[in-house]
């Protein structure tokens, strides 16, 4: 929607499609046990993708088969940090949930300013940037997640893309 917009509505609208994919994957795994034996599944969300996942968790009407994932990686999350624990903890059955944090992520820094203005909340923080308010108040952490601080990495917002990798 443009360089100076934060398409949160679009991300939230995609949640129903993510839920459908997860439900279909769960059904497939249940019905094809031999075909998937030894295969491990990872759900990787990046930036706005965490908002899709967050909305999916907030709107699900029944227990999702999150045990289909051995690992969930919530990377450079554009979700609000303040109440993230509530939706992350809904992912019962997942083997490992990792959430990355980078205080100096320049992309999330701009998004955080936009969202703070949008919500008229000077303390607004994005999960991918901080686990505390700007006043230093700690947010509740999800009991089922492992938090990884990538602040010292030189890769900033694209941790999963390394400059030496070839297409």
């Amino acid at each position: 929607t443009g360089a100076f917009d934060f398409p949160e509505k679009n991300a939230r609208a995609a949640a129903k499609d993510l839920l459908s994919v997860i439900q279909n994957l769960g059904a497939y795994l249940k019905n094809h046990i031999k075909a998937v034996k030894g295969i491990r599944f990872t759900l990787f969300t990046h930036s706005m993708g965490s908002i899709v996942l967050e909305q999916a968790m907030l709107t699900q009407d029944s227990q999702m088969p999150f045990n289909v994932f051995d690992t969930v990686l919530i990377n450079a999350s554009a979700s609000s940090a303040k109440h993230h624990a509530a939706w992350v903890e809904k992912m019962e059955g997942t083997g490992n949930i990792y959430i990355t944090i980078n205080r100096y992520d320049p992309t999330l820094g701009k998004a955080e300013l936009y969202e703070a203005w949008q919500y008229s909340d000077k303390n607004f923080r994005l999960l991918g940037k901080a686990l505390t308010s700007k006043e230093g108040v700690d947010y509740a952490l999800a009991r089922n997640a492992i938090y990884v601080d990538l602040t010292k990495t030189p890769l900033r917002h694209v941790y999963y893309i390394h400059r030496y990798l070839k297409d």
Side-chain angles (χ1 to χ4, degrees):
T1 58
F4 299 104
D5 197 10
F6 190 76
E8 183 174 350
K9 288 180 186 173
N10 296 353
R12 292 195 183 280
K16 64 181 178 184
D17 294 325
L18 176 61
L19 287 171
S20 177
V21 168
I22 294 168
Q23 288 170 335
N24 287 322
L25 178 60
Y28 182 85
L29 295 177
K30 187 176 181 180
N31 294 323
H32 298 87
I33 295 170
K34 288 183 182 179
V36 296
K37 186 177 179 179
I39 297 175
R40 301 176 66 148
F41 291 89
T42 297
L43 176 63
F44 183 102
T45 66
H46 176 72
S47 199
M48 297 291 293
S50 70
I51 293 175
V52 178
L53 178 60
E54 171 190 352
Q55 188 65 31
M57 294 298 88
L58 294 174
T59 60
Q60 68 174 333
D61 54 359
S62 62
Q63 185 67 18
M64 287 300 300
F66 260 87
N67 58 341
V68 301
F69 300 111
D70 295 289
T71 303
V72 173
L73 175 57
I74 303 169
N75 183 60
S77 174
S79 293
S80 170
K82 191 171 188 178
H83 302 292
H84 78 278
W87 62 266
V88 170
E89 289 178 357
K90 285 187 164 193
M91 289 185 271
E92 293 297 323
T94 300
N96 299 292
I97 300 172
Y98 298 96
I99 300 173
T100 66
I101 310 297
N102 183 345
R103 292 188 313 268
Y104 302 123
D105 183 316
T107 303
L108 291 181
K110 292 172 191 166
E112 191 172 76
L113 288 173
Y114 179 84
E115 287 291 275
W117 170 78
Q118 191 78 350
Y119 291 113
S120 300
D121 180 0
K122 64 181 173 124
N123 275 315
F124 184 87
R125 299 304 297 266
L126 292 177
L127 178 56
K129 288 232 355 140
L131 298 172
T132 61
S133 73
K134 290 183 179 177
E135 294 175 340
V137 176
D138 291 339
Y139 295 131
L141 302 179
R143 294 176 309 227
N144 59 337
I146 298 168
Y147 296 82
V148 181
D149 188 345
L150 299 175
T151 298
K152 293 184 179 181
T153 181
L155 300 176
R156 302 298 175 228
H157 190 67
V158 289
Y159 319 118
Y160 60 92
I161 299 175
H162 194 279
R163 66 180 176 208
Y164 300 114
L165 293 177
K166 303 286 183 200
D167 288 341

